[in-house]
Amino acid sequence: NTTLQTARQVCAGSGGIGSIRIHPDVKKALDQNAPVVALESTIISHGMPYPQNVETARRVEDVVRSNGAVPATIAILDGVVHVGLDQKQLEKLGTLGAKCRKCSRRDLGLVVSTKGNGATTVAATMYIASMVGIKVFVTGGIGGAHRGVERTLDISADLTELARTRVTVVCAGVKSILDIPKTLEILETAGVPVIGYKASEFPAFFSRKSGSKAPIRLDSTEEIARLIVANEELSMQNGVIVAVPVPEKEAGNHSAIETATKQALKEADERKIQGKDITPFLLDRINQITGGHSLQANVSLVLNNAKIGTKIAVKISQLKRCIITQHAISTLLGLHSN
């Protein structure tokens, strides 16, 4: 794709405002059509305390590498969008923590133009990953419709991004603090395939169960990769969700998590915490109420998602190589017959 190749050449430069820098390992993999897995940075800055955030980020990257792909953590540092961070940059992001602006798609231009520091959400990470040609993105859980959405209209930009950006998001489902049935309805309306990996019930982040059925169940990474490649060949422009239940030994008790969630939501309402501040508050408060169990589950599910997501990325790369080879053979046979 000439346009994508040109974009990569521009992104590889060291330009000023609006520049994107692709880590050399990531650029090499993209140029060779090798598997790359995008990783968000909000989970580092806002999702966990320091130094556990940096330690977890490094462990996630190691899981991606050990399973055959190149990790590309995405963040904005000093006004430059980085696709792939070195160890020093990861440390900087982790120590800055919540001082980094939490960046959805709408915030990217502001943070770049003011040379600020920004941690990318699911929506922003998807957008940047798509821009440079990364097909698979691993995260903890996606945003969705907040409880009381019929009153507040508080719907995450993640859902809008999934409707218009061709990136597969591997996650542990929708965060349990959200209205999961309404979130799934919105995704259905947007035409986004929602896959339960080896699961008939849609997972709810800390919990393996949500009470909502997974729209699609697939039991292998190859089946998932084939669906993703088929969507691309059909020129579908939307993303795909692969919902992976948290490992059973780390799963939170659904009723206990729900009780903690309701208490945290009540406190957020009393303190009038809204918008982008509500999710970090709720996750931190739920962790306190559950005695730290939810944070432990968070780390476990992200590592598990990274393993499954990387296997999907590797399968996609293998399938595409086969397709390219078959096309090349067909072309050669056609030339020979002429």
Side-chain angles (χ1 to χ4, degrees), residues 260-292:
T261 299
K262 286 180 178 177
Q263 182 179 332
L265 283 165
K266 183 173 179 288
E267 293 176 12
D269 189 54
E270 290 171 348
R271 299 186 193 185
K272 301 191 185 310
I273 298 171
Q274 298 175 335
K276 65 183 180 181
D277 297 324
I278 193 165
T279 298
F281 169 80
L282 291 174
L283 292 178
D284 182 59
R285 190 69 189 102
I286 292 168
N287 185 53
Q288 292 172 8
I289 296 168
T290 60

Side-chain angles (χ1 to χ4, degrees), residues 1 124 139 143 185 194 196 218 223 247 249 251 254 277 291 299 303 323:
N1 185 304
T139 186
E185 286 289 346
V194 178
L218 293 176
E223 288 178 292
K249 65 179 181 179
H254 181 63
D277 297 324
V299 173
L303 293 172
I323 291 169

Side-chain angles (χ1 to χ4, degrees), residues 294-306:
S294 66
L295 179 58
Q296 183 181 346
N298 195 356
V299 173
S300 178
L301 67 84
V302 171
L303 293 172
N304 189 53
N305 293 348

Side-chain angles (χ1 to χ4, degrees), residues 26-251:
V26 176
K27 185 176 185 301
K28 180 180 178 182
L30 289 172
D31 288 345
Q32 295 177 349
N33 293 316
V36 178
V37 173
L39 303 167
E40 64 155 299
S41 45
T42 297
I43 195 171
I44 303 171
S45 62
H46 293 72
M48 298 179 188
Y50 179 84
Q52 192 166 13
N53 54 358
V54 177
E55 292 167 1
T56 301
R58 287 175 177 151
R59 288 174 67 190
V60 171
E61 289 199 345
D62 287 343
V63 168
V64 173
R65 292 188 187 96
S66 65
N67 282 278
V70 176
T73 300
I74 294 174
I76 305 173
L77 295 172
D78 301 316
V80 177
V81 176
H82 290 267
V83 181
L85 302 179
D86 60 30
Q87 295 301 311
K88 186 176 178 182
Q89 290 166 335
L90 269 180
E91 187 73 23
K92 177 178 180 177
L93 186 67
T95 52
L96 281 171
K99 292 178 183 176
C100 284
R101 186 181 182 97
K102 188 177 177 183
C103 291
S104 189
R105 174 195 272 247
R106 69 170 187 180
D107 306 296
L108 294 173
L110 174 64
V111 177
V112 168
S113 64
T114 57
K115 298 190 182 298
N117 297 303
T120 54
T121 63
V122 169
T125 306
M126 283 185 72
Y127 175 74
I128 294 167
S130 177
M131 188 193 308
V132 300
I134 300 175
K135 305 295 184 184
V136 177
F137 159 42
V138 166
T139 186
I142 63 167
H146 280 260
R147 301 188 191 198
V149 64
E150 65 278 0
R151 174 175 49 86
T152 64
L153 297 181
D154 191 349
I155 300 172
S156 171
D158 297 353
L159 303 190
T160 308
E161 205 64 45
L162 280 156
R164 64 184 173 188
T165 302
R166 190 194 286 168
V167 171
T168 295
V169 181
V170 181
C171 60
V174 175
K175 295 181 177 76
S176 54
I177 57 178
L178 303 172
D179 188 323
I180 295 174
K182 286 188 176 66
T183 298
L184 290 173
E185 286 289 346
I186 293 168
L187 289 168
E188 180 186 0
T189 301
V192 177
V194 178
I195 302 165
Y197 176 65
K198 296 183 178 180
S200 297
E201 188 167 343
F202 188 74
F205 199 51
F206 298 131
S207 174
R208 294 174 64 86
K209 297 185 179 295
S210 66
S212 296
K213 184 180 177 181
I216 303 169
R217 173 176 174 150
L218 293 176
D219 292 332
S220 73
T221 54
E222 181 166 354
E223 288 178 292
I224 295 170
R226 288 188 181 281
L227 182 151
I228 293 164
V229 171
N231 263 13
E232 190 169 329
E233 290 185 334
L234 290 167
S235 297
M236 297 285 189
Q237 297 304 312
N238 52 277
V240 174
I241 292 175
V242 179
V244 183
V246 61
E248 199 156 0
K249 65 179 181 179
E250 298 294 347

